[in-house]
Amino acid sequence: MEEWFDLHAHTTASDGTFTPTELVEHARQRGLHGVGITDHDSTEGINEALVAGRRLAVEVVPGVEINTEYEGKEVHILGYYFDTANLELQTLFHTLRTERVARMQRILMKLREIGIDINESEVRQEAGEGAIGRPHIARVLIRKGFAADIPDAFGKFLAKGAAAYVERFKLSPGDAIQVIKNAGGVPILAHPGLVGKDAIIEELIPQGLAGIEVSHPDHSQKDRERYKKIADDLQLIATGGSDFHGSGAEHRGDLGTVKISGDIVRKLKASSTVF
Ligand code: AMP
Ligand code: ZN
Ligand code: FE
Ligand code: FE
C-alpha cells in the first residue's frame, strides 16, 4: 500500500493552532503515514511530535520553514532532516524569533496610528510559546471585531501594501540554505509560486538548493505540472504539503489535502548528512 506524507505543517511552536501532539493525532486520523513539522524559525515542536509519532505509528519528518527575501520578494526556504541541536541553526532561529517580536511591536504601533488598539500582551497570549507571526495578530483582530477572517485581516492590515504592514528582518535565501546545509539538512524552496519568478530556482542550485515544493495549495494544477517538469529537468527533489495551520485558522486546506509518496521522503532522507 502506498504510504502518503504531508510535508508542510505548522504547530503551536509557530503560528499553527494544533499542538505537535494534536497535529500527529490529526495526521493519523487523516490516514497519513507521516507528517513534516515545518514551523517558522523554530524546532521546538519536533521532539513532542516525535514522541506522539512513536506512540501512534506516524512517521514524523523533522523540518523548519525560514522566511527570506530576494529582490523584494518573499522566499520561504524549507529544511528537512537537519541536526536540530546545531548551534549555528539555533542561533539564527533565536535571532529570527527576537526580530519577530520587534516586528510585531512595530505592527501594533502602526495599527494604533489608524485607531486600532491591540495590546502586546493579547498577541503574546495568542502566540503562547510559539514564534510570533502575523497570524497571531490576525486572530486578535478577528476576536476584537476588526476583521472578519484571516484573509480579511491580511488584506486590510497585515499583507504587503496593507495599512499596518512592516518589513521583515532581511535574510537571503542563500543564507538560509547554507545554515540548513551546515546542519546536515536538505534545503527546499517552499511554494515557488509565491516568488513568482521561476529563474530563482536555477539561481539557488549553486548555493545548495536540493528541491522545490511542487505540490502546495497555492499552486494550480498547471503550476504543479510546470514545477514538476522544472524539478525533473534540474534533478531537484519534488516535495509537497498542505501548509496546514490548524482548525479554521487559515485560508488553506486540511492536513493531507496535499500529499506525496514515501519514495520522495526517502530521497530527502538520503540527501541528509546526519540521518
Ligand atoms: P509571518 O511569519 O509573520 O510573516 O506570517 C506568515 C504567515 O502568515 C504565513 O505562514 C501564512 O500562514 C500567513 N499569511 C501570509 N499571507 C497571508 C494572506 N494574504 N492571507 C492569509 N494568511 C497569510
Ligand atoms: Zn505560518
Ligand atoms: Fe510559506
Ligand atoms: Fe508554511
Side-chain angles (χ1 to χ4, degrees):
M1 210 177 79
E2 187 78 81
E3 293 173 344
W4 296 106
F5 288 72
D6 183 332
L7 283 187
H8 193 154
H10 297 265
T11 75
T12 48
S14 64
D15 54 5
T17 66
F18 283 26
T19 66
T21 301
E22 288 166 348
L23 185 80
V24 172
E25 285 168 350
H26 194 56
R28 186 184 160 87
Q29 276 160 18
R30 299 279 299 156
L32 290 167
H33 179 85
V35 62
I37 309 289
T38 55
D39 279 306
H40 301 285
D41 307 333
S42 174
T43 58
E44 300 291 308
I46 291 174
N47 271 338
E48 184 187 315
L50 283 168
V51 171
R54 275 193 290 273
R55 179 167 56 85
L56 298 166
V58 171
E59 189 174 335
V60 169
V61 177
V64 72
E65 182 174 27
I66 308 174
N67 296 5
T68 73
E69 204 188 286
Y70 165 91
E71 295 180 355
K73 297 176 175 71
E74 276 218 35
V75 177
H76 298 182
I77 303 292
L78 293 161
Y80 295 104
Y81 290 118
F82 46 83
D83 170 18
T84 53
N86 180 274
L87 191 62
E88 184 192 14
L89 186 98
Q90 289 301 345
T91 303
L92 173 66
F93 293 165
H94 187 265
T95 303
L96 293 174
R97 292 201 297 265
T98 305
E99 293 292 335
R100 282 175 168 279
V101 173
R103 185 189 193 201
M104 177 267 290
Q105 289 164 339
R106 288 199 290 274
I107 291 173
L108 295 190
M109 261 167 52
K110 280 198 160 183
L111 282 172
R112 232 164 272 137
E113 283 166 19
I114 56 169
I116 292 176
D117 201 11
I118 283 177
N119 295 325
E120 185 174 331
S121 61
E122 293 173 282
V123 181
R124 283 184 182 274
Q125 205 176 343
E126 183 64 47
E129 301 281 296
I132 287 177
R134 287 176 291 168
H136 297 121
I137 304 174
R139 286 173 206 149
V140 177
L141 285 166
I142 294 163
R143 203 168 52 238
K144 300 189 92 177
F146 295 115
D149 51 27
I150 298 270
D152 187 45
F154 272 85
K156 276 189 189 145
F157 307 114
L158 303 171
K160 194 163 192 159
Y165 179 76
V166 172
E167 294 276 309
R168 70 168 61 258
F169 176 72
K170 298 251 192 302
L171 181 77
S172 76
D175 288 342
I177 287 170
Q178 195 57 55
V179 173
I180 292 163
K181 275 190 76 76
N182 290 349
V186 191
I188 304 289
L189 175 61
H191 42 66
L194 175 74
V195 188
K197 184 190 169 192
D198 291 353
I200 191 182
I201 299 167
E202 225 170 324
E203 287 172 37
L204 292 178
I205 292 176
Q207 316 213 35
L209 190 74
I212 58 175
E213 192 176 46
V214 166
S215 303
H216 184 277
D218 291 350
H219 291 170
S220 67
Q221 192 52 41
K222 274 187 88 171
D223 289 333
R224 293 176 203 204
E225 283 161 19
R226 187 172 82 256
Y227 289 126
K228 178 69 170 70
K229 187 176 180 329
I230 292 174
D232 288 347
D233 289 349
L234 299 173
Q235 287 180 291
L236 293 167
I237 303 170
T239 71
S242 65
D243 212 346
F244 183 65
H245 278 72
S247 58
E250 281 290 314
H251 56 303
R252 298 190 170 104
D254 200 348
L255 192 70
T257 47
V258 175
K259 56 185 193 251
I260 55 150
S261 64
D263 55 316
I264 294 169
V265 179
R266 282 188 286 280
K267 261 190 223 169
L268 274 179
K269 203 169 183 176
S271 302
S272 163
T273 59
V274 288
F275 270 81

